[in-house]
Amino acid sequence: MKKLKIGIVLYPTFGGSGVLATELGLSLAKKGHQIHFISYNQPARLDNYIENVFYHEVLIPAYPLFEFAPYEVALTSKLVNVTLNEGLDIIHAHYAIPHASAAYMAKQILLTHGINVPIVCTLHGTDITLVGRDSSYKPVITFAINHSDAVTAVSESLKNDTLRHFEIKKEIQVIYNFIDNSKYKYNPDECIKKRIAPGGEKLIMHMSNFRPVKRIPDIIKAFHIIRKTIPSKLTMIGDGPERQAAEDLVQQLGIQDHVSFIGKIKSAELVLPCADLFMLPSDSESFGLSSLEAMASGVPVISTNAGGVPEVMVHGKTGFLSEVGDFEDMAKNAIYILEDEKRFEEFKKAAREQALKFDITNILPQYEELYHRLASK
Ligand code: GMT
Protein backbone atom coordinates (compact mmCIF):
# COMPACT_ATOMS: atom_id res chain seq x y z
CA MET A 1 0.00 0.00 0.00
CA LYS A 2 1.23 3.49 -0.89
CA LYS A 3 2.43 5.59 2.04
CA LEU A 4 0.46 8.83 2.23
CA LYS A 5 1.14 12.39 3.30
CA ILE A 6 -1.71 13.31 5.63
CA GLY A 7 -2.50 16.71 7.13
CA ILE A 8 -4.33 16.41 10.45
CA VAL A 9 -6.14 19.52 11.70
CA LEU A 10 -6.94 19.32 15.40
CA TYR A 11 -7.44 21.08 18.71
CA PRO A 12 -4.21 20.85 20.68
CA THR A 13 -5.94 20.67 24.06
CA PHE A 14 -6.63 17.75 26.41
CA GLY A 15 -10.14 17.23 24.96
CA GLY A 16 -11.00 13.87 23.46
CA SER A 17 -10.99 15.00 19.81
CA GLY A 18 -7.42 16.32 20.12
CA VAL A 19 -6.23 13.22 21.94
CA LEU A 20 -7.82 10.92 19.35
CA ALA A 21 -6.45 12.93 16.40
CA THR A 22 -2.96 12.91 17.91
CA GLU A 23 -3.00 9.17 18.60
CA LEU A 24 -4.33 8.53 15.09
CA GLY A 25 -1.52 10.56 13.53
CA LEU A 26 1.18 8.95 15.68
CA SER A 27 -0.07 5.46 14.82
CA LEU A 28 -0.18 6.26 11.11
CA ALA A 29 3.37 7.66 11.34
CA LYS A 30 4.53 4.38 12.90
CA LYS A 31 3.15 2.61 9.85
CA GLY A 32 5.27 4.81 7.58
CA HIS A 33 2.78 7.52 6.57
CA GLN A 34 4.01 11.11 6.78
CA ILE A 35 1.88 13.08 9.23
CA HIS A 36 1.56 16.86 9.32
CA PHE A 37 -0.28 18.10 12.43
CA ILE A 38 -1.76 21.57 12.01
CA SER A 39 -2.99 23.59 14.98
CA TYR A 40 -2.53 26.84 16.91
CA ASN A 41 -0.48 25.14 19.61
CA GLN A 42 1.65 22.05 20.12
CA PRO A 43 -0.80 19.15 20.71
CA ALA A 44 -0.68 17.99 24.33
CA ARG A 45 0.68 14.51 23.56
CA LEU A 46 3.23 15.60 20.95
CA ASP A 47 6.31 17.06 22.58
CA ASN A 48 9.16 14.99 21.15
CA TYR A 49 10.96 14.33 17.88
CA ILE A 50 9.09 11.45 16.23
CA GLU A 51 9.93 9.93 12.86
CA ASN A 52 7.48 10.87 10.07
CA VAL A 53 5.78 13.49 12.27
CA PHE A 54 5.74 17.22 11.53
CA TYR A 55 3.97 20.04 13.32
CA HIS A 56 2.84 23.28 11.65
CA GLU A 57 1.70 26.08 13.93
CA VAL A 58 -1.03 28.45 12.77
CA LEU A 59 0.12 31.97 13.58
CA ILE A 60 -2.22 34.94 13.55
CA PRO A 61 -0.43 38.26 13.10
CA ALA A 62 -1.73 40.84 15.55
CA TYR A 63 -3.41 43.91 14.06
CA PRO A 64 -5.17 46.65 16.08
CA LEU A 65 -8.27 46.54 13.84
CA PHE A 66 -9.08 42.93 14.78
CA GLU A 67 -11.28 42.66 17.83
CA PHE A 68 -11.45 38.93 17.05
CA ALA A 69 -8.43 37.24 15.51
CA PRO A 70 -9.44 35.61 12.19
CA TYR A 71 -8.21 32.11 13.09
CA GLU A 72 -10.15 30.36 10.34
CA VAL A 73 -8.49 32.51 7.67
CA ALA A 74 -5.02 31.87 9.10
CA LEU A 75 -5.77 28.12 9.34
CA THR A 76 -7.03 28.04 5.73
CA SER A 77 -3.86 29.76 4.51
CA LYS A 78 -1.74 27.33 6.54
CA LEU A 79 -3.56 24.36 4.98
CA VAL A 80 -2.96 25.77 1.50
CA ASN A 81 0.73 26.43 2.19
CA VAL A 82 1.39 23.05 3.82
CA THR A 83 -0.34 21.24 0.95
CA LEU A 84 1.68 23.16 -1.64
CA ASN A 85 5.00 22.73 0.21
CA GLU A 86 4.61 19.16 1.40
CA GLY A 87 2.34 17.68 -1.26
CA LEU A 88 -0.38 16.43 1.10
CA ASP A 89 -2.53 13.58 -0.24
CA ILE A 90 -5.33 14.08 2.31
CA ILE A 91 -6.50 16.72 4.79
CA HIS A 92 -8.28 15.23 7.81
CA ALA A 93 -10.21 17.78 9.88
CA HIS A 94 -11.06 16.67 13.44
CA TYR A 95 -14.01 18.54 14.99
CA ALA A 96 -16.20 20.37 12.49
CA ILE A 97 -15.86 23.91 13.86
CA PRO A 98 -14.00 25.64 12.27
CA HIS A 99 -11.75 22.90 10.88
CA ALA A 100 -14.14 21.46 8.29
CA SER A 101 -15.03 24.82 6.76
CA ALA A 102 -11.38 25.94 6.73
CA ALA A 103 -10.46 22.68 4.98
CA TYR A 104 -13.25 23.20 2.41
CA MET A 105 -12.01 26.73 1.68
CA ALA A 106 -8.40 25.49 1.39
CA LYS A 107 -9.55 22.83 -1.07
CA GLN A 108 -11.22 25.47 -3.25
CA ILE A 109 -8.07 27.61 -3.26
CA LEU A 110 -5.91 24.58 -4.08
CA LEU A 111 -8.17 23.77 -7.03
CA THR A 112 -7.10 27.09 -8.56
CA HIS A 113 -3.54 25.70 -8.41
CA GLY A 114 -4.68 22.54 -10.20
CA ILE A 115 -4.52 20.46 -7.00
CA ASN A 116 -7.52 18.45 -5.76
CA VAL A 117 -6.86 17.36 -2.20
CA PRO A 118 -9.58 15.18 -0.58
CA ILE A 119 -11.03 16.38 2.73
CA VAL A 120 -12.08 14.01 5.52
CA CYS A 121 -14.16 15.50 8.33
CA THR A 122 -14.53 13.61 11.61
CA LEU A 123 -17.40 14.69 13.85
CA HIS A 124 -16.55 14.27 17.53
CA GLY A 125 -19.53 15.32 19.60
CA THR A 126 -20.08 18.82 20.88
CA ASP A 127 -19.36 20.17 17.37
CA ILE A 128 -22.77 18.63 16.59
CA THR A 129 -24.70 18.16 19.83
CA LEU A 130 -23.96 21.52 21.47
CA VAL A 131 -21.98 24.19 19.64
CA GLY A 132 -22.67 23.29 16.02
CA ARG A 133 -26.45 23.43 16.43
CA ASP A 134 -26.29 27.09 17.36
CA SER A 135 -27.60 29.25 14.50
CA SER A 136 -24.30 31.18 14.63
CA TYR A 137 -22.56 28.12 13.20
CA LYS A 138 -25.22 25.81 11.76
CA PRO A 139 -25.34 26.96 8.10
CA VAL A 140 -21.55 26.79 7.79
CA ILE A 141 -21.30 23.40 9.53
CA THR A 142 -24.08 21.95 7.36
CA PHE A 143 -22.35 23.16 4.21
CA ALA A 144 -18.91 21.95 5.29
CA ILE A 145 -20.21 18.48 6.18
CA ASN A 146 -22.08 18.17 2.88
CA HIS A 147 -19.04 19.30 0.89
CA SER A 148 -16.37 17.18 2.56
CA ASP A 149 -15.17 14.25 0.47
CA ALA A 150 -15.85 11.88 3.38
CA VAL A 151 -17.46 12.33 6.77
CA THR A 152 -17.00 10.07 9.76
CA ALA A 153 -18.63 10.09 13.20
CA VAL A 154 -17.26 8.45 16.34
CA SER A 155 -20.49 6.58 17.18
CA GLU A 156 -23.84 5.58 15.70
CA SER A 157 -25.47 7.90 18.21
CA LEU A 158 -23.49 10.89 16.93
CA LYS A 159 -24.29 9.95 13.33
CA ASN A 160 -28.02 9.89 14.20
CA ASP A 161 -27.77 13.20 16.08
CA THR A 162 -26.11 14.76 13.01
CA LEU A 163 -28.83 13.49 10.68
CA ARG A 164 -31.51 14.68 13.13
CA HIS A 165 -30.20 18.19 13.67
CA PHE A 166 -28.71 19.08 10.26
CA GLU A 167 -29.84 18.67 6.65
CA ILE A 168 -27.19 16.20 5.59
CA LYS A 169 -26.96 14.75 2.09
CA LYS A 170 -23.53 13.22 2.58
CA GLU A 171 -23.10 9.65 3.79
CA ILE A 172 -21.67 9.47 7.30
CA GLN A 173 -19.44 6.51 8.10
CA VAL A 174 -19.14 5.47 11.73
CA ILE A 175 -15.55 4.81 12.76
CA TYR A 176 -15.39 4.28 16.49
CA ASN A 177 -12.73 5.91 18.62
CA PHE A 178 -9.85 3.63 19.54
CA ILE A 179 -7.22 3.02 22.11
CA ASP A 180 -3.76 1.47 22.04
CA ASN A 181 -4.36 -1.11 24.78
CA SER A 182 -0.67 -1.97 24.97
CA LYS A 183 -0.05 1.46 26.55
CA TYR A 184 -2.49 0.82 29.39
CA LYS A 185 -1.39 -1.33 32.29
CA TYR A 186 -3.82 -3.50 34.14
CA ASN A 187 -1.82 -3.30 37.35
CA PRO A 188 -1.59 0.03 39.14
CA ASP A 189 1.59 1.79 40.14
CA GLU A 190 1.41 1.04 43.88
CA CYS A 191 3.46 4.13 44.75
CA ILE A 192 0.94 6.49 43.14
CA LYS A 193 -1.99 4.56 44.59
CA LYS A 194 -0.52 4.64 48.14
CA ARG A 195 0.05 8.37 47.88
CA ILE A 196 -3.57 9.04 46.93
CA ALA A 197 -5.20 6.43 49.14
CA PRO A 198 -2.72 5.73 51.97
CA GLY A 199 -5.27 3.86 54.08
CA GLY A 200 -6.04 1.37 51.30
CA GLU A 201 -9.29 3.19 50.46
CA LYS A 202 -11.07 2.51 47.17
CA LEU A 203 -10.12 5.12 44.59
CA ILE A 204 -12.74 6.76 42.38
CA MET A 205 -11.63 8.92 39.46
CA HIS A 206 -13.00 11.35 36.93
CA MET A 207 -11.15 13.00 34.07
CA SER A 208 -12.53 15.71 31.78
CA ASN A 209 -12.42 19.34 30.73
CA PHE A 210 -14.88 20.25 33.53
CA ARG A 211 -17.52 21.69 31.21
CA PRO A 212 -21.18 21.86 32.32
CA VAL A 213 -21.99 18.91 30.00
CA LYS A 214 -19.90 16.66 32.30
CA ARG A 215 -22.25 17.24 35.29
CA ILE A 216 -19.37 17.41 37.79
CA PRO A 217 -21.67 18.01 40.83
CA ASP A 218 -23.27 14.58 40.24
CA ILE A 219 -19.88 12.95 40.78
CA ILE A 220 -19.35 14.75 44.06
CA LYS A 221 -22.89 14.05 45.33
CA ALA A 222 -22.57 10.37 44.38
CA PHE A 223 -19.17 10.15 46.06
CA HIS A 224 -20.62 11.73 49.22
CA ILE A 225 -23.09 8.83 49.38
CA ILE A 226 -20.54 6.13 48.43
CA ARG A 227 -18.06 7.00 51.14
CA LYS A 228 -20.68 6.58 53.85
CA THR A 229 -20.54 2.84 53.03
CA ILE A 230 -17.16 2.30 51.32
CA PRO A 231 -13.96 3.95 52.63
CA SER A 232 -12.92 5.79 49.49
CA LYS A 233 -11.13 8.74 47.91
CA LEU A 234 -12.07 10.78 44.85
CA THR A 235 -9.46 12.08 42.40
CA MET A 236 -10.58 14.67 39.86
CA ILE A 237 -8.28 15.02 36.83
CA GLY A 238 -8.48 17.95 34.41
CA ASP A 239 -9.57 21.54 34.61
CA GLY A 240 -12.23 23.85 33.24
CA PRO A 241 -15.05 26.25 34.02
CA GLU A 242 -16.87 24.01 36.55
CA ARG A 243 -13.85 23.29 38.73
CA GLN A 244 -14.26 26.11 41.23
CA ALA A 245 -17.94 25.35 41.84
CA ALA A 246 -16.99 21.69 42.31
CA GLU A 247 -14.32 22.59 44.87
CA ASP A 248 -16.88 24.76 46.67
CA LEU A 249 -19.37 21.87 46.77
CA VAL A 250 -16.71 19.58 48.25
CA GLN A 251 -16.15 22.14 51.02
CA GLN A 252 -19.88 22.54 51.64
CA LEU A 253 -20.28 18.78 52.02
CA GLY A 254 -17.24 18.66 54.34
CA ILE A 255 -15.45 15.97 52.30
CA GLN A 256 -12.36 18.00 51.39
CA ASP A 257 -10.01 15.50 53.07
CA HIS A 258 -11.21 12.80 50.70
CA VAL A 259 -11.31 14.64 47.37
CA SER A 260 -8.34 15.94 45.39
CA PHE A 261 -8.33 18.04 42.23
CA ILE A 262 -5.02 17.35 40.53
CA GLY A 263 -5.52 19.43 37.36
CA LYS A 264 -4.44 18.47 33.86
CA ILE A 265 -1.99 15.64 33.37
CA LYS A 266 -0.30 14.38 30.21
CA SER A 267 0.06 10.69 30.98
CA ALA A 268 -3.40 9.52 31.99
CA GLU A 269 -2.25 5.94 31.41
CA LEU A 270 0.00 6.15 34.50
CA VAL A 271 -2.75 7.25 36.88
CA LEU A 272 -5.90 5.56 35.58
CA PRO A 273 -4.85 2.01 36.56
CA CYS A 274 -4.75 3.22 40.19
CA ALA A 275 -8.51 3.80 40.07
CA ASP A 276 -11.04 1.26 41.28
CA LEU A 277 -13.91 3.04 39.58
CA PHE A 278 -14.25 5.75 36.94
CA MET A 279 -17.23 8.14 36.82
CA LEU A 280 -18.56 9.94 33.74
CA PRO A 281 -22.12 11.16 34.46
CA SER A 282 -22.40 13.42 31.37
CA ASP A 283 -25.54 15.01 30.02
CA SER A 284 -24.48 13.91 26.57
CA GLU A 285 -21.40 12.09 25.38
CA SER A 286 -20.85 11.04 21.78
CA PHE A 287 -18.40 8.31 22.80
CA GLY A 288 -16.59 8.97 26.09
CA LEU A 289 -12.96 8.35 25.22
CA SER A 290 -11.87 8.84 28.84
CA SER A 291 -14.10 5.95 29.95
CA LEU A 292 -12.48 3.76 27.28
CA GLU A 293 -9.07 4.75 28.66
CA ALA A 294 -10.31 3.73 32.11
CA MET A 295 -11.66 0.40 30.86
CA ALA A 296 -8.35 -0.30 29.10
CA SER A 297 -6.75 0.09 32.53
CA GLY A 298 -9.17 -2.48 33.95
CA VAL A 299 -11.37 0.11 35.65
CA PRO A 300 -15.19 -0.33 35.69
CA VAL A 301 -17.17 2.78 34.72
CA ILE A 302 -20.25 4.41 36.25
CA SER A 303 -21.86 6.54 33.57
CA THR A 304 -25.12 7.75 32.05
CA ASN A 305 -27.08 6.10 29.26
CA ALA A 306 -26.50 9.21 27.15
CA GLY A 307 -25.45 9.45 23.50
CA GLY A 308 -22.89 6.89 22.37
CA VAL A 309 -21.95 5.63 25.84
CA PRO A 310 -24.12 2.47 25.57
CA GLU A 311 -22.21 1.59 22.38
CA VAL A 312 -18.95 1.58 24.32
CA MET A 313 -19.97 0.13 27.69
CA VAL A 314 -21.95 -2.98 28.60
CA HIS A 315 -24.49 -2.21 31.34
CA GLY A 316 -24.09 -4.63 34.27
CA LYS A 317 -20.77 -6.04 32.99
CA THR A 318 -18.20 -3.29 32.46
CA GLY A 319 -19.99 -0.91 34.81
CA PHE A 320 -23.45 0.64 34.98
CA LEU A 321 -25.45 3.27 33.08
CA SER A 322 -27.93 5.46 34.99
CA GLU A 323 -30.42 8.07 33.87
CA VAL A 324 -28.84 11.53 33.49
CA GLY A 325 -28.86 13.27 36.88
CA ASP A 326 -29.65 10.18 38.96
CA PHE A 327 -26.57 10.38 41.20
CA GLU A 328 -28.25 8.23 43.86
CA ASP A 329 -28.51 5.35 41.38
CA MET A 330 -24.87 5.92 40.40
CA ALA A 331 -23.84 5.72 44.06
CA LYS A 332 -25.88 2.52 44.53
CA ASN A 333 -24.22 0.94 41.47
CA ALA A 334 -20.76 2.01 42.61
CA ILE A 335 -21.29 0.44 46.03
CA TYR A 336 -22.59 -2.75 44.38
CA ILE A 337 -19.34 -3.07 42.41
CA LEU A 338 -16.97 -2.07 45.19
CA GLU A 339 -18.47 -3.93 48.17
CA ASP A 340 -17.72 -7.45 46.91
CA GLU A 341 -14.12 -8.26 45.94
CA LYS A 342 -15.01 -11.19 43.63
CA ARG A 343 -17.66 -9.14 41.81
CA PHE A 344 -15.25 -6.21 41.58
CA GLU A 345 -12.64 -8.43 39.88
CA GLU A 346 -15.26 -9.66 37.38
CA PHE A 347 -16.17 -6.08 36.45
CA LYS A 348 -12.48 -5.18 36.08
CA LYS A 349 -11.85 -8.13 33.77
CA ALA A 350 -14.94 -7.38 31.67
CA ALA A 351 -13.94 -3.70 31.36
CA ARG A 352 -10.51 -4.64 30.06
CA GLU A 353 -11.95 -7.19 27.62
CA GLN A 354 -14.46 -4.67 26.27
CA ALA A 355 -11.68 -2.09 25.71
CA LEU A 356 -9.87 -4.63 23.50
CA LYS A 357 -12.77 -4.41 21.01
CA PHE A 358 -11.81 -0.77 20.43
CA ASP A 359 -8.14 -1.54 20.03
CA ILE A 360 -6.24 0.51 17.52
CA THR A 361 -5.47 -2.62 15.49
CA ASN A 362 -9.21 -2.94 14.73
CA ILE A 363 -9.87 0.74 13.97
CA LEU A 364 -6.75 2.10 12.24
CA PRO A 365 -7.26 -0.01 9.07
CA GLN A 366 -10.70 1.62 8.65
CA TYR A 367 -9.09 5.08 8.43
CA GLU A 368 -6.31 3.80 6.15
CA GLU A 369 -8.84 2.18 3.85
CA LEU A 370 -10.82 5.44 3.68
CA TYR A 371 -7.70 7.51 2.92
CA HIS A 372 -6.55 5.14 0.16
CA ARG A 373 -10.00 5.09 -1.40
CA LEU A 374 -10.09 8.92 -1.54
CA ALA A 375 -6.46 9.35 -2.59
CA SER A 376 -6.81 6.93 -5.49
CA LYS A 377 -9.80 8.77 -7.02
O1 GMT B 1 -15.66 15.86 25.94
C1 GMT B 1 -15.46 16.99 25.53
O2 GMT B 1 -16.09 17.95 25.90
C2 GMT B 1 -14.35 17.21 24.54
C3 GMT B 1 -14.78 16.77 23.19
C4 GMT B 1 -13.70 17.07 22.20
O3 GMT B 1 -14.07 17.32 21.08
O4 GMT B 1 -12.53 17.09 22.47
O5 GMT B 1 -15.04 15.36 23.26
C5 GMT B 1 -15.88 14.80 22.28
O6 GMT B 1 -15.04 14.01 21.45
C6 GMT B 1 -14.45 12.87 22.09
C7 GMT B 1 -13.52 12.18 21.08
O7 GMT B 1 -14.22 11.72 19.97
C8 GMT B 1 -15.54 11.94 22.61
O8 GMT B 1 -14.96 10.82 23.24
C9 GMT B 1 -16.39 12.70 23.62
O9 GMT B 1 -17.46 11.86 24.04
C10 GMT B 1 -16.97 13.96 22.97
N1 GMT B 1 -17.63 14.76 24.01
C11 GMT B 1 -18.96 14.92 24.04
O10 GMT B 1 -19.73 14.41 23.24
C12 GMT B 1 -19.47 15.73 25.18
Side-chain angles (χ1 to χ4, degrees), residues 11 13-21 94-95 122-130 153-155 158 161 175-178 207-211 213-214 280 282-292 307-309 312:
Y11 279 105
T13 52
F14 286 86
S17 68
V19 170
L20 195 280
H94 286 266
Y95 204 91
T122 291
L123 309 172
H124 277 276
T126 48
D127 45 354
I128 294 301
T129 55
L130 280 178
V154 300
S155 65
L158 182 59
D161 280 342
I175 301 185
Y176 283 118
N177 282 336
F178 62 82
M207 179 168 75
S208 77
N209 51 19
F210 287 57
R211 307 233 167 247
V213 70
K214 303 293 172 184
L280 189 70
S282 309
D283 238 343
S284 94
E285 199 68 61
S286 69
F287 184 92
L289 189 59
S290 58
S291 62
L292 180 59
V309 179
V312 183

Side-chain angles (χ1 to χ4, degrees), residues 193-214:
K193 184 149 189 169
K194 275 213 177 88
R195 252 178 275 146
I196 306 176
E201 296 91 345
K202 291 290 186 193
L203 192 52
I204 298 170
M205 277 190 196
H206 168 77
M207 179 168 75
S208 77
N209 51 19
F210 287 57
R211 307 233 167 247
V213 70
K214 303 293 172 184

